[in-house]
Amino acid sequence: MKLLVTGGAGYVGSVCAARLVESGHEVVVLDDLSTGHADAVPDGVRLVEAGIDEAIGGVLAEGFDGVLHFAAKSLVGESMQDPAKYWHGNVVTSLRLLDAMREHGTPRLVFSSTAATYGEPEQVPIAETAPTRPTNTYGATKLAIDHAITSYAAAHGLAAVSLRYFNVAGAYGRFGERHGVETHLIPIVLQVALGKREQVQVYGDDWPTDDGTCVRDYIHVVDLADAHLRALEHAATGEHRIYNLGNGLGFSVRQVVDACREVTGHPIPADVAPRRAGDPAVLVASSERARTELGWKPERVDLAGIVRDAWEFTRSLQGA
Ligand code: UDP
């Protein structure tokens, strides 16, 4: 297929673009490089360096079989302080994309959604049938886009799939996570191992979990990317399908820090800090629907293995 990857110079987008190219697809990346990196675009892939708002019509006029839409603002804290950036940057921009796809007859969409659409869970593991009550603006904007996709699919025959990611981690060779502002646990812990931070702050050790620290579902970015390839194949005209993507295995903050110690050989000092606002105690996915309907199964479920790939990538950036 000929596919447009928005945000293909970012973390998940670049890994996905690389896997798509390896699977024989023709890929074009549209990215304004506001948070992405030009050198994260896989070899042989054309990069259109522009925003969706100004460029999407011209690009889709070339004719595409589908769009994988990763381009988004994705910092939870920032979304609370500057909601306009998120409502415009995520929702308005995605509506422009949907309208352009309609105008140019682009048949398929795979959308990068998030577990943040669910908010504080009533039950874990979280299934797609769980209530959607986002507790932050970021999650609210992603949920709004999901709603828009549902109605465009029903009314205009779009074949759409939303993938709701849990905690994406790991790397794929030279494609990995490098954010200007880092808020995610594993990259932060690895920065301590690299000597770029003195210690990691553990946000609370009095949660109702086995060791008192929060539990999350870390999914390897390559497993995640492979779900996108399957989603493309399973997208059905006029339908909007939604799948949660996680390992189904929860790891606590302490377990993550221990895995990083084991992989890096660094003592990684950790201090307990107050709880972070908006953090639920436990977020673990049920990916049963993706397993059954997409035939997808995460293969890289070992936490140390996930951390090892992230560590190799992080060190390669330092030229270590
Ligand atoms: N966390 C932490 N210290 C940090 C960053 C994160 O203790 O410096 C915790 C955070 O409270 C959460 C887990 O690690 O329980 C994962 O956080 P992250 O920001 O990576 O992902 P989130 O689950 O918020 O999407």
Side-chain angles (χ1 to χ4, degrees):
M1 290 189 234
K2 182 173 177 185
L3 300 167
L4 180 67
V5 178
T6 76
Y11 173 37
V12 181
S14 65
V15 174
C16 222
R19 300 291 282 190
L20 287 167
V21 169
E22 284 166 21
S23 305
H25 295 289
E26 181 185 347
V27 175
V28 176
V29 163
L30 176 62
D31 197 305
D32 64 5
L33 301 186
S34 56
T35 52
H37 305 268
D39 63 1
V41 176
D43 294 336
V45 167
R46 175 157 56 100
L47 166 65
V48 179
E49 189 185 329
I52 289 176
D53 288 351
E54 68 261 25
I56 192 66
V59 172
L60 286 185
E62 278 179 28
F64 282 85
D65 299 302
V67 176
L68 293 101
H69 181 35
F70 298 95
K73 306 285 170 213
S74 61
L75 296 174
V76 170
E78 183 186 59
S79 79
M80 302 303 279
Q81 281 141 21
D82 189 359
K85 188 169 177 180
Y86 282 71
W87 288 103
H88 287 278
N90 289 352
V91 179
V92 175
T93 301
S94 296
L95 291 176
R96 293 244 161 78
L97 169 68
L98 285 171
D99 288 335
M101 290 179 73
R102 197 180 153 204
E103 185 184 340
H104 296 288
T106 316
R108 281 177 207 84
L109 173 68
V110 178
F111 175 57
S112 171
S113 188
T114 169
T117 52
Y118 296 111
E120 183 83 41
E122 280 169 11
Q123 273 190 328
V124 253
I126 303 170
E128 294 81 356
T129 47
T132 43
R133 291 188 293 240
T135 52
N136 56 62
T137 305
Y138 165 66
T141 62
K142 289 282 185 171
L143 181 60
I145 299 163
D146 274 341
H147 286 315
I149 294 172
T150 301
S151 42
Y152 273 64
H156 307 305
L158 180 67
V161 178
S162 286
L163 300 176
R164 292 189 170 157
Y165 312 161
F166 282 64
N167 291 64
V168 190
Y172 183 47
R174 71 182 184 87
F175 307 104
E177 196 168 9
R178 42 180 165 145
H179 297 125
V181 182
E182 195 49 77
T183 61
H184 291 122
L185 180 64
I186 292 177
I188 284 179
V189 179
L190 294 180
Q191 285 179 355
V192 179
L194 270 183
K196 293 184 137 193
R197 283 178 196 253
E198 299 226 325
Q199 61 193 28
V200 58
Q201 300 209 305
V202 175
Y203 297 144
D205 67 350
D206 55 353
W207 295 92
T209 59
D210 286 349
D211 68 14
T213 65
C214 285
V215 169
R216 295 289 182 271
D217 184 335
Y218 296 88
I219 172 163
H220 196 294
V221 66
V222 173
D223 284 334
L224 189 81
D226 290 351
H228 291 71
L229 273 81
R230 288 173 183 268
L232 266 177
E233 281 157 21
H234 285 79
T237 306
E239 287 183 31
H240 179 208
R241 298 183 177 171
I242 296 177
Y243 299 101
N244 291 345
L245 296 180
N247 271 334
L249 297 174
F251 295 102
S252 72
V253 174
R254 283 214 193 285
Q255 285 177 308
V256 170
V257 174
D258 283 344
C260 292
R261 287 179 177 136
E262 180 194 321
V263 167
T264 64
H266 189 284
I268 309 182
D271 249 20
V272 177
R275 291 181 174 191
R276 187 172 66 176
D279 265 345
V282 180
L283 284 179
V284 175
S286 163
S287 297
E288 275 316 302
R289 189 185 280 179
R291 287 171 196 254
T292 313
E293 295 185 15
L294 300 178
W296 174 81
K297 187 161 110 23
E299 305 283 350
R300 297 154 186 87
V301 294
D302 166 50
L303 182 60
I306 294 175
V307 168
R308 195 169 303 116
D309 288 350
W311 177 233
E312 273 169 25
F313 172 77
T314 308
R315 289 173 75 211
S316 73
L317 286 183
Q318 311 305 312

